[in-house]
Amino acid sequence: MSPNTPAPTPPARRFTSASGFLLMCFAVVGLVGIMTTYVAPLPMARAVRRDTTLDQVLLASHAANPQAALDALRPMLAESADAVLPAGQPIDPAALVNRVAAQRLAVRLRLETEQAELSLRLRVLIGVVTLMGAGFGLAISRVGV
């Protein structure tokens, strides 16, 4: 052995390094899974919040000053505001009930669509990260061979 040649790494040390790297590959997959538990409920939370606001609209229509109460709720309705509370029209409780019912249906349909899209994206993300971790694990396990 020449003086410039590095000493061979002991087998036990190679195994420890490879095991640590493989463990980190699985840890990354686990962290992605944990992240999905925070992201997955978002469409449902948005739908529940919008549904609650629609309930508040129905209650506000019977307030002492319904126009002021409904105007205060307009920002919470976001893109549904013009459909539920058309500008310049007097408050008609029967028409308001129908518009709220139509928006509830739209909220539920939007929830289904958002949930399906989000589920697909999360499955792809977890699949890609899992394959990357497995690929790195295989690559590192063959380095010492």
Side-chain angles (χ1 to χ4, degrees), residues 22-133:
L22 188 58
L23 179 67
M24 289 310 298
C25 290
F26 285 108
V28 168
V29 173
L31 290 173
V32 169
I34 289 171
M35 181 202 59
T36 62
T37 63
Y38 289 101
V39 174
L42 289 178
M44 182 63 158
R46 262 196 304 267
V48 168
R49 188 171 301 124
R50 183 66 52 84
D51 194 53
T52 302
T53 303
L54 291 172
D55 286 337
Q56 290 173 347
V57 165
L58 291 176
L59 291 174
S61 69
H62 299 294
N65 184 354
Q67 190 63 49
L70 291 172
D71 287 342
L73 291 171
R74 183 176 281 279
M76 294 171 57
L77 289 168
E79 69 271 0
S80 300
D82 291 333
V84 175
L85 304 170
Q89 290 187 7
I91 299 168
D92 178 16
L96 184 63
V97 168
N98 290 335
R99 290 193 300 263
V100 166
Q103 281 306 302
R104 281 188 204 280
L105 179 60
V107 165
R108 289 182 184 123
L109 292 174
R110 193 174 316 125
L111 168 65
E112 288 178 14
T113 303
E114 286 179 6
Q115 195 66 48
E117 291 172 355
L118 180 66
S119 296
L120 177 63
R121 284 190 210 120
L122 291 176
R123 286 183 192 117
V124 168
L125 175 68
I126 291 172
V128 167
V129 172
T130 301
L131 290 174
M132 287 172 48

